[in-house]
Amino acid sequence: MRRRGYPSDADADDDTYFFLLPYLLLSPEDPKQRKYPIRDVLNALVWVARTGAQWAYLPHDFPPAETVRQQTHRWFAAACFQSTAHDVRLLCRVEKGRHGEPTAIIIDSRTLHSTPESGHRTGVDGAKKRKGTKVHLAVDTLGHFLAVLTTPANEQDRAQVKDLCLEVQEVTGETVQVAFADQGYTGTQAALDVTQAGVKLVVVKRPEATKGFILLPTRWVVERSLVWLARFRRLGRDLERLPSTLVGFHALAACVLLCNNLKPLFA
C-alpha cells in the first residue's frame, strides 16, 4: 500500500519530479541493485531539509536513513542541486522578461549557531556575539540563488567577497559587472579584491542616525532570500559535520524554492 504523503512531498509533484530527474540520475534509473525509487529518496531528503530532523529519525515509510544519507552525499558531491538551480534560475529570469544571466548581484552573510557536530570548525562572530558558521550568499536582483560559501564565524565578510564573486562569475559565464553589499564589505581592499573578478563593489549604506530595520534599495533582496532559506529548519543551525554538506543543503533549498516558482510552467 502506498504511504500517505507528507507536506514536503508537494515540493516535488509529478511535473516537478520529472523535470528534476535527469539532474539526479548519477546511474541508470533502474539498475538491478537499486531497492528504493529515486523519488522516495528525494522526498525523504526534502523532508529532512524542511523539518531539520536527524537522519536516524526518518519516518519508517521512507527508505532507510543510511540509504537516503548516502545518496544525498552523492548528489551533493556531484553538485546536482547547484546545476538544477542554475538552469531553473535561467528559466525564471526569462519568464520574467530578463536576460538569462545577471549583470548585477547582491551579497550578504548570516551566522548559524554551532552544534556539537559542527563545533570543531566554528568561530565567534564578535558583532553578533554568536559562535558558529558564516554562510556567504550571492543572489541576482530577483533573489535567485547563485553561489554560497561557508567560513568560521570569526572570518570577516569583506575577506570572502573575492572568492564569492569568482564563484559567481564561473556560474554565470562572467556576465556580472556589479555587486551590491552592506557596510560589512566597506574598505579599499575589498573593492580591489572584487576587481580581480571583473566586478565593481557598491556598498549600500544605511542613513545616518537611524535604528531598527530599514528597507534599503536593492540590498534588501538578499536579506529576503536568506529568510526564505531559513524556512528550511535544517538550515536554522549548523547541524553538519562537513561544510560541503551545509553548502549542499543550501543548494537543495534554493532548488526547491526556484522550482516552486516555476510550477505553472512545468504543467
Side-chain angles (χ1 to χ4, degrees):
M1 184 174 66
R2 180 172 173 79
R3 69 174 177 84
R4 295 176 63 184
Y6 294 90
S8 56
D9 292 354
D11 289 323
D13 59 15
D14 289 346
D15 295 319
T16 305
Y17 171 70
F18 289 118
F19 176 85
L20 293 174
L21 185 59
Y23 298 93
L24 304 177
L25 287 177
L26 303 179
S27 61
E29 184 175 1
D30 296 311
K32 294 181 180 179
Q33 69 271 24
R34 176 168 288 139
K35 294 183 179 180
Y36 304 98
I38 289 180
R39 186 166 189 173
D40 287 349
V41 177
L42 177 63
N43 282 333
L45 171 58
V46 177
W47 184 90
V48 168
R50 284 288 194 183
T51 64
Q54 297 165 271
W55 294 111
Y57 287 83
L58 267 175
H60 295 302
D61 48 4
F62 281 127
E66 188 61 19
T67 298
V68 178
R69 188 185 66 81
Q70 290 179 359
Q71 183 60 58
T72 295
H73 286 298
R74 284 193 285 267
W75 282 334
F76 287 175
C80 293
F81 296 108
Q82 285 93 327
S83 298
T84 307
H86 170 73
D87 290 349
V88 179
R89 185 187 71 250
L90 294 178
L91 293 174
C92 286
R93 290 182 59 85
V94 171
E95 192 267 338
K96 289 179 171 59
R98 303 292 189 93
H99 189 275
E101 296 292 1
T103 58
I105 62 173
I106 310 113
I107 58 178
D108 201 359
S109 70
R110 71 178 180 126
T111 299
L112 302 181
H113 271 298
S114 64
T115 61
E117 285 73 23
S118 64
H120 63 284
R121 54 180 176 79
T122 59
V124 177
D125 184 339
K128 296 184 174 67
K129 305 294 190 293
R130 182 180 299 173
K131 180 180 180 182
T133 300
K134 269 190 182 178
V135 176
H136 307 267
L137 181 69
V139 301
D140 65 12
T141 53
L142 297 175
H144 299 148
F145 173 90
L146 286 165
V148 63
L149 299 175
T150 65
T151 64
N154 59 297
E155 297 285 343
Q156 294 293 322
D157 290 350
R158 62 178 69 91
Q160 315 307 320
V161 67
K162 176 184 174 182
D163 290 340
L164 192 59
C165 287
L166 286 173
E167 186 168 333
V168 167
Q169 293 289 47
E170 181 178 353
V171 168
T172 61
E174 300 187 356
T175 63
V176 174
Q177 301 172 12
V178 180
F180 296 95
D182 64 21
Q183 290 172 249
Y185 297 85
T186 302
T188 304
Q189 188 59 50
L192 290 174
D193 287 344
V194 296
T195 59
Q196 298 180 42
V199 178
K200 177 183 177 182
L201 182 64
V202 177
V203 175
V204 182
K205 297 184 178 181
R206 293 169 58 96
E208 295 184 4
T210 57
K211 295 182 179 180
F213 175 77
I214 297 176
L215 191 66
L216 296 174
T218 307
R219 204 188 89 187
W220 69 272
V221 173
V222 68
E223 295 172 353
R224 181 188 63 180
S225 298
L226 289 169
V227 172
W228 285 344
L229 292 171
R231 297 295 296 274
F232 291 76
R233 292 193 173 187
R234 188 78 182 198
L235 304 180
R237 286 174 174 255
D238 185 359
L239 301 170
E240 315 306 332
R241 293 188 183 276
L242 300 175
S244 58
T245 307
L246 183 59
V247 169
F249 270 110
H250 276 83
L252 168 67
C255 184
V256 169
L257 293 170
L258 284 163
C259 287
N260 284 341
N261 288 339
L262 275 189
K263 276 186 179 179
L265 294 184
F266 293 155

